């Protein structure tokens, strides 16, 4: 059996793990970076494509919200349940009236765009999620999050988010252990320096995007929510109960869709309440130009008015208004959020490219492009150093490298692997597949080495 020092075993272990991540997960990280870059690069294009629905050239005094909503309801045939209203409060903006359409997918709503001045219908489009993106970016978002394969496809993005931070930190550690003591000028070392420089430059972003991406994920996201709940890091939610205890805070408040907030069957909405509730919210300090008004889900609950401006400075205050007395019964202020809730809000908004406007977009476009180059450069380095034929050396496997580790190292690696696997199940399952593939290769190479020694 080939032996090596513990230091060399750690290096071999890191190198082989880094190689497996690049080989098997690298394409998924590349596609996530590419589609994410496309997503943050297209809001201006989307605004241009749907300009007719989003804006109007007519100036004058806006009609009451009640009349705007009535026009939108008439456009749907009065057959859909009213979900929420985003009034056009800036001159030239249309009002967005959203309805729950059972023919649409999760987190999707049918939106009727109404000119606040003339009450003309300007558009009828599907909008998605709390951010209210329109069809173009919705398709890009589906590509980015699920390859347009629904919940099954979300495994790809969770796989990418689960491994990207490990690839980043592992690459830095590998460079630390194997960097040459003096500068060597050859084709491979020159490319390696570029790869390492990009890795250092993008390290913070890779850690941030892994963390924020995991909050959206299907499996790890649930564990993140449990941790946030236990640590009291959840985003505060207004209590809409007019009588009784407060409802539980929603752990998915930052990124859930709208389908959980439908009115009960048979319940009708007094449209005149929209203007009164908005006025009450304004009197309570809700002063953002981007607002969403939601009718009560059922009798005995309050209406909510929420600021939805997630640029800087962030305006996401909310109030609950009793529709009978027009009194504010509860409120949340972003300034009072726990620090971790604020960091989560900012991290998610930065991830989506909306926190600092165009500057945020440009930074993410540069990051996504550089990350794609980093991955391609890694493949290029591997191609330059690939063996002419498969090397029959068992020390080049994870299994053999792990066996050479000291006992403490073995315990640490097992404990860390199990812990991360439980927190991030997709990573845990993929790691098990890595080990299985590596074990089969190790067994085959060990058998070959034994046969040659006889």
């Amino acid at each position: 059996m080939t032996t090596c020092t513990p230091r060399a075993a750690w290096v071999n272990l890191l190198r082989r793990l880094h190689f497996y991540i690049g080989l098997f997960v690298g394409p998924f990280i590349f596609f996530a970076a590419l589609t994410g870059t496309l997503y943050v690069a297209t809001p201006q294009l989307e605004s241009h494509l749907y300009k007719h629905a989003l804006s109007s050239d007519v100036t004058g005094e806006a009609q009451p919200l009640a009349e705007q909503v009535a026009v939108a309801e008439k456009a749907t045939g009065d057959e859909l349940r009213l979900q929420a209203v985003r009034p056009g409060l800036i001159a030239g903006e249309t009002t967005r009236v959203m309805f729950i359409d059972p023919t649409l997918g999760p987190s999707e709503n049918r939106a009727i765009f109404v000119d606040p001045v003339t009450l003309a219908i300007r558009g009828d489009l599907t909008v998605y999620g709390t951010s209210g993106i329109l069809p173009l970016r919705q398709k890009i978002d589906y590509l980015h999050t699920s390859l347009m394969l629904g919940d099954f496809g979300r495994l790809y993005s969770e796989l990418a988010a689960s491994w990207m931070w490990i690839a980043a930190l592992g690459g830095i550690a590998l460079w630390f252990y194997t960097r040459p003591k003096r500068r060597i000028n050859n084709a491979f070392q020159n490319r390696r320096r570029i790869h390492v420089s990009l890795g250092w430059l993008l390290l913070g972003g890779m850690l941030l995007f892994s963390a924020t991406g995991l909050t959206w994920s299907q499996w790890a996201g649930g564990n993140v929510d449990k941790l946030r709940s236990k640590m009291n890091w959840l985003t505060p939610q207004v209590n809409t109960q007019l009588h009784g205890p407060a409802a539980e805070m929603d752990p998915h408040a930052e990124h859930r869709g709208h389908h959980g907030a439908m009115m009960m069957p048979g319940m009708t909405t007094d449209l005149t309440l929209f203007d009164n509730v908005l006025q009450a919210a304004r009197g309570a300090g809700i002063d953002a130009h981007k607002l969403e008004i939601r009718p009560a889900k059922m009798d005995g609950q309050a209406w909510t008015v929420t600021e939805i401006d997630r640029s800087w400075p962030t305006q996401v205050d909310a109030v609950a208004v009793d529709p009978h007395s027009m009194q504010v019964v509860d409120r949340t202020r972003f300034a009072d959020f726990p620090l971790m809730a604020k960091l989560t809000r900012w991290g998610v908004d930065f991830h989506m490219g909306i926190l600092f406007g165009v500057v945020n977009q440009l930074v993410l476009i540069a990051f996504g492009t550089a990350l794609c180059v980093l991955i391609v450069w890694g493949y290029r380095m591997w191609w330059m150093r690939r063996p002419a034929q498969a090397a029959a050396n068992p020390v080049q496997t994870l299994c053999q490298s792990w066996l050479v580790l000291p006992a403490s190292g073995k315990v640490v690696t097992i404990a860390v692997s199990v812990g991360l696997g439980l927190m991030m199940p997709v990573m845990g399952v993929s790691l098990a597949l890595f080990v299985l593939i590596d074990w089969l290769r190790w067994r085959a190479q060990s058998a070959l080495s034994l046969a040659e020694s006889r």
Side-chain angles (χ1 to χ4, degrees), residues 80-96:
L80 301 179
R81 293 176 181 170
L82 180 61
Q83 165 76 342
V85 174
R86 297 186 178 185
L89 301 175
I90 300 177
E93 286 189 354
T94 55
T95 292
R96 183 181 306 195

Side-chain angles (χ1 to χ4, degrees), residues 67 78 91 107 137 147 160-161 184 204 300 325 361 372 396-397 406 414 432:
E67 295 185 22
D78 295 318
S107 300
R137 299 181 77 210
L147 300 175
I184 301 174
S325 66
Q361 289 179 257
C372 290
Q396 293 182 355
T397 65
I414 290 177

Side-chain angles (χ1 to χ4, degrees), residues 24-42:
F24 297 117
V25 187
F28 298 110
I29 299 177
F30 179 91
F31 189 79
L34 183 64
T35 54
T37 301
L38 188 60
Y39 179 89
V40 300
T42 52

Side-chain angles (χ1 to χ4, degrees), residues 78-203:
D78 295 318
E79 295 179 352
L80 301 179
R81 293 176 181 170
L82 180 61
Q83 165 76 342
V85 174
R86 297 186 178 185
L89 301 175
I90 300 177
E93 286 189 354
T94 55
T95 292
R96 183 181 306 195
V97 185
M98 296 180 289
F99 298 89
I100 297 171
D101 189 336
T103 65
L104 299 178
S107 300
E108 295 179 354
N109 291 115
R110 180 180 174 184
I112 305 296
F113 295 82
V114 181
D115 187 324
V117 178
T118 66
L119 299 182
I121 301 298
R122 301 284 295 179
D124 185 347
L125 299 169
T126 299
V127 297
Y128 175 78
T130 305
S131 57
I133 58 175
L134 301 175
L136 171 65
R137 299 181 77 210
Q138 178 182 333
K139 297 299 183 184
I140 299 173
D141 183 72
Y142 284 158
L143 270 176
H144 178 66
T145 58
S146 65
L147 300 175
M148 291 190 172
L149 297 176
D151 285 342
F152 176 76
R154 290 176 62 190
L155 294 175
Y156 117 83
S157 55
E158 183 166 354
L159 180 70
S162 298
W163 280 108
M164 185 164 64
W165 67 277
I166 298 176
L169 293 178
I172 295 299
L174 192 59
W175 166 83
F176 180 79
Y177 280 115
T178 62
R179 67 189 190 280
K181 295 181 179 180
R182 59 184 179 84
R183 186 180 181 87
I184 301 174
N185 288 313
N186 58 49
F188 177 80
Q189 287 298 333
N190 290 337
R191 285 180 170 82
R192 183 174 186 263
R193 276 190 286 272
I194 295 176
H195 186 75
V196 170
S197 298
L198 283 174
W200 274 110
L201 181 65
L202 303 178
L203 177 61

